[in-house]
């Protein structure tokens, strides 16, 4: 509530509205803009509209410059002209003389560049600024034609670039800043044109009257400058999403709309990677306490985010989890730096001399690590090499990357530290390179490998972003705002899709009929299992695929997998007995036994039964050598890294109980020889629910390195763990990429075969859990839908925080409109099947379907509370 600078007397009549490129590129959006402007006029405000170039034009202008250098610009010019003429036609406005003048200017400048064979920064700024001059010419005419009396203003008459002594001439043209103190002269220029004025974002003029640019994303900044100069009552940034969200909603549909943020929080979120608002535009609004609204042009009714002065609450609240990718780490190591005067000053001088701005810093007695933000620095290999060479004069320097910085933003962030344990446990094996807590207590940032970033965002968001009673900050989720369309948002991400609708949509009637006389059941679709078998058998690089039966031991599934051409992998005598009992014609040679800390008698039984036994502990060979005499064995190795969807399922690395360290390979070879056993295979399984396809080729390569110790090896088993998307529309596992990456590994192995050992991939999508609604409950702000079975049937949500899509199968055709948590009847607070889900309204007796439950569902069920878990049925 304490202003930094006293606000001058406001002239509340001005509202500044800013529209981005997408918003000004179609008739539909311009009609919305017209309505927005008209509404402000009706409530008595004058409107200054600041907008960007037509979408794509800024990039085309860059291309035009490049083409002009090669004297091949006519085509690029033609495309730019055509785009603007098409927009004029769509909006029904004439191609004005002014617009023709802009086309002519572009042509002249391009011809000049072709002639000179070079582009000065001055010329570049002039050309890049033309996009806004052209688009606003069209926009002003459209609004005038709507009867809004719009006038066009050249922004360069009002926005003047500051003289920045430290800045290079280049920055002066391409990333200028302007003074934004309230400005009576500017106000009268605009007011003389008013009450509706259209002007350009992104451009200003320098002291010589030359065009300068405010840097990429500069239109937001232009609008904020104008708002401050006019002492506007309100600034509205209209974009293509309804405000700022608690995470990127395009990858996390449970991200929540942020209704109110302090300027400081918004600044942190914008800086920490959210792209909706340019970080630089917040300062002018903040300094003069102008309320700043972020809204969606195509959906004004969805509301948005209001940036305003901080609230006085001191309850900790995480409002957003942001990610920035492409971050480079520089680690500087020097045993002598402790207490050494000036080390940091010298090191930072090196960054300065390379024109690099440092983002985060962490220090210890012997190490200083900093991050370089790709947005603030151009970081190609040559630049980094030159930096390293200079740093090496001071210390041992190393570049690490690509990394991601993941930031928690909110208020009193220190207060949530104790809740972070579970999310960070994932990083036992993966490194957290740097943790940085901002002095303002608004931000806590972790720097991790880029490949781990998205997962950390999901985990932290799930765990920490929760609405608090009486706090209006967190609004509805993206899913709620856009309903069923939200799934499509995720589907729009790049990469292979899981594609078709899940099988149970088509078989709804059958499923409901099955539930007529039951309260809960797992139902499996064998066709899906067969399809997955065929996909795995088609892998070129893989000679044998073993099904890790622990994922689902239903006899029909085991038979289907065997009939589908797969071998079977078991981890207990119970599993071994099951497969021989239920799979007709199964040969012992098609079965792999991979126990962990099993009793001696199980090894003895399995060896007698003739299955392939895997040893994953040297002590077994030391203590029971006679057991293995004359037998062929596999060794399970630990390549030293683990992966997985949750730390409970990471099975490689220093803290995992599985496998033999690769450093112990020579000793393992000696012990096997002493026992009289022949090592014929090497095995590794580093974790479960993995989507990084490189994982298996990396494992294969590290096992291949051990072959020198084991001349009798015939096969390398690179384990299972293939991820399965946990929600509709999510990106699926890229089997083709896996095959491509395994092929060179396979080729290098010569006569040694490559084996794969997945469980989940074969069965997860084949199974659903159906359960009847028992009760619904409203408790304070929380809505619950209770079902007949819970963690006693499906423990994955409680144990791993796993996500399973849930729908109301009885009312599948109705829209999902209610935000509820789905819970079971077990007396544990962890007995959740899904939190904050958007569901069709549910009533007692309805059947809910919990999707992707075919793996690690029934096999992990229990009789806890003496409640029978769901029975298993085959369709
Ligand atoms: N091979 C070995 C030696 C394994 O330990 C496992 C799984 C697999 C293969 C198969 O992994 P998959 O392809 O299914 O990811 N209950 C957890 C998963 C535990 C996996 C244990 N080992 C879950 O529900 O996510």
């Amino acid at each position: 509530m304490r202003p930094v600078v006293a606000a001058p007397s406001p002239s509340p009549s001005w509202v500044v509205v800013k529209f981005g490129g997408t918003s000004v590129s179609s008739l539909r959006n311009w009609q919305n803009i017209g309505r927005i402007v008209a509404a402000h006029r009706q409530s008595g405000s004058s409107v200054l509209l600041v907008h960007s170039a037509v979408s794509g034009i800024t990039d085309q202008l860059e291309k035009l410059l490049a083409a002009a250098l090669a004297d091949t610009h006519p085509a690029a010019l033609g495309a730019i002209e055509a785009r603007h003429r098409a927009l004029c036609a769509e909006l029904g406005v004439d191609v004005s003389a002014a617009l023709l003048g802009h086309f002519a200017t572009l042509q002249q400048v391009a011809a000049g560049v072709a002639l000179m064979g070079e582009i000065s920064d001055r010329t570049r700024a002039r050309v890049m600024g033309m996009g806004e001059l052209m688009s606003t010419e069209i926009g002003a005419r459209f609004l005038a034609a709507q009867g809004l009396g719009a006038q066009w203003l050249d922004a360069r008459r009002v926005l003047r670039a500051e003289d920045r002594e430290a800045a290079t001439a280049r920055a002066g043209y391409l990333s200028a800043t302007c003074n934004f103190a309230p400005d009576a002269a500017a106000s009268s220029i605009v007011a003389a044109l008013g009450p509706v004025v259209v002007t350009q974002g992104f451009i200003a003029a320098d002291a010589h009257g030359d065009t300068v640019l405010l840097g990429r994303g500069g239109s937001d900044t232009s609008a904020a400058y104008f708002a401050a100069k006019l002492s506007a009552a309100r600034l509205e940034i209209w974009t293509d999403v309804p405000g700022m969200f608690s995470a990127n909603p395009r990858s996390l549909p449970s991200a929540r709309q942020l209704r109110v943020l302090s300027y400081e929080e918004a600044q942190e979120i914008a800086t920490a990677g959210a792209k909706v608002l340019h970080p630089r535009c917040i300062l002018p609004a903040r300094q003069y306490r102008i309320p700043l609204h972020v809204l969606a042009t195509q959906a004004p009714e969805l509301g948005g985010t209001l940036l305003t002065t901080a609230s006085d609450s001191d309850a900790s609240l995480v409002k957003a989890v942001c990610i920035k990718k492409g971050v480079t780490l520089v680690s500087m190591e020097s045993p002598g730096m402790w207490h050494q005067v000036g080390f940091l000053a010298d090191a930072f001088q090196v960054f300065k001399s390379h024109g690099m701005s440092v983002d985060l810093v962490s220090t210890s007695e012997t190490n200083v690590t900093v991050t370089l933000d790709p947005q603030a620095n151009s970081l190609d290999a040559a630049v980094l090499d030159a930096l390293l060479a200079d740093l090496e004069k001071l210390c041992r320097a190393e570049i690490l990357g690509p990394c991601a910085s993941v930031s928690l933003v909110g208020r009193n962030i220190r207060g949530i530290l104790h809740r972070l344990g579970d999310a960070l446990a994932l990083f036992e094996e993966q490194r957290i390179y740097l943790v940085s807590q901002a002095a303002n207590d608004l931000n806590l940032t972790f720097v991790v490998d880029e490949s781990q970033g998205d997962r950390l965002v999901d985990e932290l968001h799930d765990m920490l972003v929760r609405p608090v009673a009486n706090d209006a900050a967190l609004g509805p989720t993206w899913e709620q705002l856009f309903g069923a369309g939200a799934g499509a948002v995720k589907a729009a991400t790049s990469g292979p899709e899981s594609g078709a609708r899940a099988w149970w949509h088509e078989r709804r009637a059958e499923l409901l009929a099955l539930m007529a006389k039951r309260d809960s059941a797992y139902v499996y679709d064998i066709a899906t299992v067969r399809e997955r078998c065929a996909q795995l058998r088609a892998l070129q690089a893989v000679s044998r695929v073993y099904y890790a039966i622990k994922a689902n031991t239903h006899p029909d599934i085991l038979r289907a997998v065997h009939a589908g051409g797969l071998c079977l992998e078991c981890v207990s005598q119970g599993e071994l007995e099951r497969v021989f009992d239920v799979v007709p014609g199964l040969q012992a040679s098609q079965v792999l036994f991979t126990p962990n800390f099993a009793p001696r008698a199980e090894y003895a039984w399995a060896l007698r039964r003739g299955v392939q036994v895997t040893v994953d502990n040297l002590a077994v060979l030391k203590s029971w050598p006679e057991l293995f005499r004359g037998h062929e064995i596999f060794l399970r190795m630990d390549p030293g890294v683990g992966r997985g969807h949750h730390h409970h399922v990471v099975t490689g690395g220093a803290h995992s109980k599985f496998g033999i360290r690769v450093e112990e390979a020579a000793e393992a070879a000696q012990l096997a020889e002493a026992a009289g056993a022949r090592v014929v295979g090497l095995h590794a399984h580093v974790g479960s629910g993995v989507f990084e396809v490189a994982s298996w080729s990396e494992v294969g390569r590290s096992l291949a390195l051990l072959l020198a110790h084991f001349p009798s090896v015939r096969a390398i088993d690179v384990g299972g763990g293939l991820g399965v998307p946990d929600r509709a529309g999510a990106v699926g596992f890229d089997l083709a990429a896996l095959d491509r990456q395994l092929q060179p590994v396979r080729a290098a192995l010569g006569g040694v075969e490559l084996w794969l050992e997945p469980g989940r991939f074969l069965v997860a999508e084949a199974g659903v859990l159906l359960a009847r609604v028992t009760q619904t409950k409203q408790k304070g702000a929380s809505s619950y839908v209770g079902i007949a079975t819970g963690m006693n049937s499906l423990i994955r949500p409680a144990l791993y925080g796993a996500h399973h899509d849930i729908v109301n199968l009885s009312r599948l055709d109705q829209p999902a409109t209610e935000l509820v948590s789905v819970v079971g009847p077990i007396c544990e607070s962890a007995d959740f099947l899904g939190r904050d889900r958007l569901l069709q309204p549910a009533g007692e007796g309805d059947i809910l379907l919990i999707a992707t439950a075919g793996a690690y569902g029934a096999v992990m069920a229990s009789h806890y509370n003496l409640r029978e878990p769901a029975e298993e049925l085959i369709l």
Side-chain angles (χ1 to χ4, degrees):
M1 291 294 175
R2 291 161 295 274
V4 185
V5 172
S9 62
S11 41
S13 56
W14 281 102
V15 171
V16 175
V17 294
K18 179 259 165 179
F19 292 88
T22 323
S23 302
V24 298
S25 302
S26 70
L27 175 61
R28 206 170 134 250
N29 281 347
W30 269 108
Q31 284 164 338
N32 280 342
I33 294 175
R35 279 192 279 273
I36 291 162
V37 172
H40 282 311
R41 288 293 301 124
Q42 258 164 22
S43 51
S45 302
S46 302
V47 183
L48 175 71
L49 190 150
V50 178
H51 72 80
S52 306
V54 171
S55 81
I57 289 297
T58 305
D59 288 339
Q60 287 192 34
L61 289 168
E62 296 250 27
K63 286 199 191 112
L64 170 70
L65 283 171
L69 277 182
D71 206 0
T72 57
H73 51 280
L77 262 179
I80 291 169
E81 260 196 59
R83 179 74 189 90
H84 289 94
R85 283 178 186 275
L87 185 62
C88 286
E90 189 183 349
L91 302 189
V93 302
D94 293 340
V95 178
S96 65
L99 190 55
L100 290 172
H102 294 319
F103 294 160
T105 307
L106 265 185
Q107 192 164 14
Q108 276 162 18
V109 180
V113 167
L115 199 67
M116 304 290 290
E118 65 173 12
I119 309 167
S120 66
D121 294 328
R122 179 167 174 266
T123 304
R124 182 177 294 279
R126 185 164 175 220
V127 169
M128 299 308 294
M130 295 293 297
E132 273 69 11
L133 291 170
M134 294 185 287
S135 66
T136 49
E137 174 62 25
I138 301 173
R141 286 183 164 265
F142 175 80
L143 292 182
Q146 305 297 300
L148 288 165
Q151 295 287 326
W152 184 86
L153 166 70
D154 186 333
R156 296 168 295 186
R157 287 176 65 198
V158 173
L159 295 189
R160 289 283 165 178
E162 284 173 319
D163 244 350
R164 284 185 297 164
E165 276 165 28
T168 58
R170 172 149 234 251
Y173 279 112
L174 303 182
S175 53
T177 54
C178 298
N179 179 305
F180 52 81
D183 180 342
S187 297
S188 45
I189 293 176
V190 182
L193 296 167
V196 176
V197 178
V198 178
T199 195
Q200 307 79 45
F202 191 42
I203 60 172
D206 69 7
H208 313 286
D210 285 341
T211 304
V212 299
L213 306 180
L214 302 180
R216 277 272 162 140
S219 291
D220 290 351
T221 311
S222 295
Y225 287 160
F226 274 107
K229 277 178 172 276
L230 300 181
S231 300
R234 180 181 167 102
L235 167 61
E236 295 176 353
I237 307 275
W238 291 86
T239 168
D240 53 359
V241 285
M244 299 174 86
F245 277 75
S246 58
N248 179 359
R250 298 191 196 277
S251 47
L252 201 66
S254 59
R256 287 178 179 277
Q257 191 182 38
L258 296 167
R259 286 193 169 133
V260 192
L261 288 174
S262 70
Y263 296 113
E264 293 78 4
E265 289 165 335
Q267 179 88 47
E268 292 286 339
I269 294 173
T271 314
K275 302 236 161 49
V276 186
L277 203 58
H278 198 274
R280 274 206 329 207
C281 80
I282 296 169
L283 178 67
R286 169 179 168 185
Q287 192 152 326
Y288 296 103
R289 294 195 290 148
I290 300 167
L292 193 170
H293 297 259
V294 184
L295 301 148
T297 312
Q298 74 284 19
E301 71 286 357
L302 294 181
T305 304
L306 166 63
L307 272 54
T308 181
T309 38
S311 79
D312 289 331
S313 165
D314 26 274
S316 296
L317 186 62
V318 178
K319 294 192 180 163
V321 186
C322 308
I323 181 163
K324 226 180 337 188
K325 294 191 178 167
V327 169
T328 299
L329 269 183
V330 184
S331 156
M332 293 165 276
E333 190 91 27
S334 164
M337 74 172 64
W338 192 35
H339 287 177
Q340 186 188 320
V341 174
F343 175 82
L344 275 179
D346 293 346
F348 284 122
Q349 183 58 40
V350 174
F351 287 95
K352 182 176 175 191
S353 68
H354 286 266
M356 284 187 189
S357 99
V358 163
D359 191 7
L360 304 171
V361 183
S362 92
T363 62
S364 75
E365 284 169 13
T366 59
N367 178 284
V368 178
T369 299
V370 304
T371 65
L372 301 172
D373 181 344
Q375 271 139 35
N377 301 286
S378 57
L379 299 172
D380 61 33
V383 170
L384 291 175
D385 284 349
L387 174 79
L388 267 193
D390 281 350
L391 286 174
E392 290 282 354
K393 294 172 194 157
L394 297 174
C395 57
R396 223 164 343 108
E398 193 188 355
I399 303 266
L400 300 166
C403 295
S405 69
V406 172
S407 304
L408 302 176
V409 182
R411 64 174 185 242
N412 306 324
I413 285 293
R414 240 166 280 175
I416 57 102
L417 280 173
H418 65 283
R419 287 161 56 197
L420 290 177
D422 267 2
L424 299 184
L426 177 68
F427 286 85
E428 267 174 37
E429 309 298 338
Q430 309 286 342
R431 277 187 67 182
I432 297 182
Y433 294 106
L434 189 155
V435 180
S436 145
Q437 191 211 333
N440 60 13
D441 205 13
L442 291 174
N443 172 332
L444 181 67
T445 297
F446 304 92
V447 180
V448 298
D449 276 331
E450 193 176 78
S451 62
Q452 301 297 317
D454 288 326
R455 183 155 36 159
L456 186 59
V457 170
D458 282 14
E459 293 248 341
L460 289 172
H461 188 274
D462 250 24
M463 186 174 293
L464 299 173
V465 179
R466 309 226 143 267
V468 173
N470 304 325
D471 196 310
L474 295 178
T477 65
W478 177 270
E479 221 162 12
Q480 256 178 317
L481 288 170
F482 293 98
V489 172
K490 182 119 183 180
T493 53
S494 62
E497 302 295 335
S498 55
R501 276 208 313 181
W503 57 268
W504 45 263
H505 285 275
E506 276 29 90
R507 309 192 71 167
R508 177 180 167 218
E510 261 173 283
L511 292 172
L512 288 173
L514 278 177
M515 291 302 288
K517 291 194 291 298
R518 298 180 171 85
D519 282 340
S520 67
Y522 276 103
V523 185
Y524 304 130
D525 170 53
I526 296 289
T528 302
V529 178
R530 287 197 200 106
E531 202 178 295
R532 296 289 171 271
C533 289
Q535 287 173 317
L536 291 171
R537 295 284 294 134
L539 294 173
Q540 298 286 314
V542 177
S543 309
R544 273 194 193 200
V545 182
Y546 282 78
Y547 166 50
I549 78 155
K550 62 176 82 61
N552 189 319
T553 49
H554 191 284
D556 286 3
I557 287 189
L558 296 176
R559 285 189 281 266
V561 169
H562 184 242
L566 269 58
C567 301
L568 302 174
E569 187 253 354
C570 303
V571 291
S572 68
Q573 186 171 331
E575 287 191 355
L576 287 170
E577 288 174 2
R578 163 70 60 95
V579 296
F580 287 114
D581 279 352
V582 305
V583 182
L586 180 67
Q587 307 294 306
S589 60
Q590 294 171 314
V591 178
L592 184 63
F593 182 48
T594 320
N596 174 249
F597 291 99
R600 175 184 177 143
E602 283 198 15
Y603 291 87
W605 189 91
L607 288 164
R608 268 201 313 280
R609 190 68 184 75
V611 302
Q612 180 60 65
V613 173
T614 303
V615 170
D616 89 331
N617 177 6
L618 295 186
V620 165
L621 292 173
K622 278 187 205 156
S623 314
W624 314 324
E626 68 286 357
L627 209 58
F628 300 99
R629 185 144 308 133
H631 284 287
E632 298 190 330
I633 59 169
F634 270 46
L635 292 180
R636 174 166 179 177
M637 308 302 295
D638 174 359
V641 266
R643 293 198 169 82
H645 68 81
H646 187 272
H647 63 277
H648 291 344
V649 302
V650 172
T651 53
H655 302 292
S656 136
K657 67 172 179 143
F658 301 93
I660 299 166
R661 296 189 316 133
V662 286
E663 294 80 1
E664 293 171 329
E667 189 186 351
Q670 282 161 11
L671 287 168
E673 194 178 341
R678 243 158 48 106
V679 178
V680 295
L682 295 177
H683 174 287
H685 169 80
V686 298
S688 194
V690 178
F691 284 90
E692 293 109 302
V693 284
S695 181
W696 291 268
S697 48
E698 277 169 23
V699 167
R701 273 189 217 99
S702 47
L703 292 181
L705 288 176
L706 307 179
L707 285 175
H709 298 286
F710 306 102
S712 312
V713 162
R714 296 193 295 261
I716 280 186
D717 179 342
V718 290
L722 284 65
V724 171
D726 62 1
R727 56 201 92 194
V731 176
F733 188 86
D734 195 344
L735 266 189
L738 174 72
D739 208 15
R740 277 197 302 279
Q741 302 218 359
L742 283 177
Q743 273 168 17
V745 181
R746 167 74 191 82
L749 285 174
V752 175
E753 291 187 352
L754 205 57
W755 296 358
L756 205 60
E757 191 181 283
R760 181 192 319 270
F761 185 83
L762 285 147
V763 290
E765 290 151 306
V768 294
L769 173 61
L770 304 176
R772 189 174 300 284
V773 174
T774 53
Q775 311 178 9
T776 61
K777 180 181 208 164
Q778 187 70 39
K779 187 177 165 200
S782 309
S783 306
Y784 297 97
V785 172
I787 52 175
T789 195
M791 63 191 289
N792 55 325
S793 290
L794 182 64
I795 201 174
R796 302 190 71 253
L799 190 57
Y800 314 119
H803 175 101
H804 289 260
D805 276 351
I806 305 180
V807 296
N808 186 337
L809 195 65
S810 306
R811 304 180 197 223
L812 199 52
D813 357 349
Q814 294 178 19
T817 50
E818 315 237 307
L819 196 69
V820 298
S821 290
V822 178
V823 295
I826 300 299
C827 297
E828 293 266 344
S829 288
D831 187 23
F832 273 78
L833 285 313
R835 287 179 199 270
D836 296 340
R837 297 304 181 79
L838 197 62
L839 264 191
Q840 297 85 354
E844 184 186 348
D846 283 358
I847 301 296
L848 299 197
L849 177 148
I850 298 152
T852 326
Y856 305 107
V859 286
M860 294 178 79
S862 76
H863 293 263
Y864 188 32
N865 287 185
L866 288 186
R867 287 194 184 277
E868 279 297 305
E871 63 182 308
E872 295 178 88
L873 307 172
I874 299 280
L875 264 186

